[in-house]
Structures are given as C-alpha cells and as structure tokens.
Amino acid sequence: MRGRTAEYANFTMLFVDDRWKRKGIGSRLFQEIAKCAREKGAKKLFLSAIPAVETIQFYLSLGCVDAEERIESYIDTAEDRCLEYKL
C-alpha cells in the first residue's frame, strides 16, 4: 500500500465481457475487491481508469471520486483518470 495521506491499495483491473454487462456483476466484483482491500488494512482504493465515458460513469456510480493524490507507480498511462474509493 502506498500514499502520503492515506493507505491506498492499487485497484489494477476489472473487466466484464459485454455479454454480461448491466447485470450487477461488475458492482459485485468491485465490492468484493473493496472488502479484501479493507481487510488488508487499506483506507482507500486507487484506480487508474481508462478515460472512456462508460468506464468513468461506472466507477462514479459506485462512489469513486477524483483521487486526492497521484501515485505514479499505480498509473497505467498519462491519459488515465485517477480515481479513489474510500473504504
């Protein structure tokens, strides 16, 4: 875990095949990941998300917000949007 102001866990990837989208699977997977991170002592999840509208809307709908700090080693590309989720 890293971060200056919080103990962030790195949320690296969540993918749901198009055939299974909008069935609650992504939300359930996200909550399970959050639960595991919380159990390991993280205070927040850090997400480096592709800037696709659908992707960002999904994470915002779960309660993610723009990250308070940037953890460069967690960022995939310069175009990604950095988000966080308070655990």
Side-chain angles (χ1 to χ4, degrees):
M1 285 177 265
R2 296 196 178 145
R4 291 183 320 276
T5 61
E7 293 183 11
Y8 285 91
N10 187 14
F11 183 96
T12 58
M13 186 180 302
L14 175 65
F15 178 80
V16 177
D17 188 272
D18 288 341
R19 295 172 294 174
W20 296 98
K21 287 184 178 177
R22 304 204 184 283
K23 297 183 186 310
I25 294 168
S27 298
R28 288 194 302 269
L29 288 170
F30 184 90
Q31 292 307 321
E32 281 300 312
I33 293 165
K35 178 183 168 190
C36 290
R38 193 178 302 112
E39 289 171 355
K40 292 186 180 293
K43 303 297 181 206
K44 295 180 181 182
L45 288 177
F46 184 92
L47 297 83
S48 179
I50 61 170
V53 173
E54 183 178 275
T55 300
I56 300 303
Q57 281 304 115
F58 170 73
Y59 289 126
L60 293 176
S61 75
L62 295 173
C64 294
V65 297
D66 287 313
E68 289 183 18
E69 61 181 283
R70 291 177 57 88
I71 303 172
E72 296 301 325
S73 62
Y74 287 174
I75 299 171
D76 296 322
T77 70
E79 294 79 30
D80 283 2
R81 183 159 171 191
C82 298
L83 302 170
E84 68 181 31
Y85 179 79
K86 187 175 180 180
L87 299 170

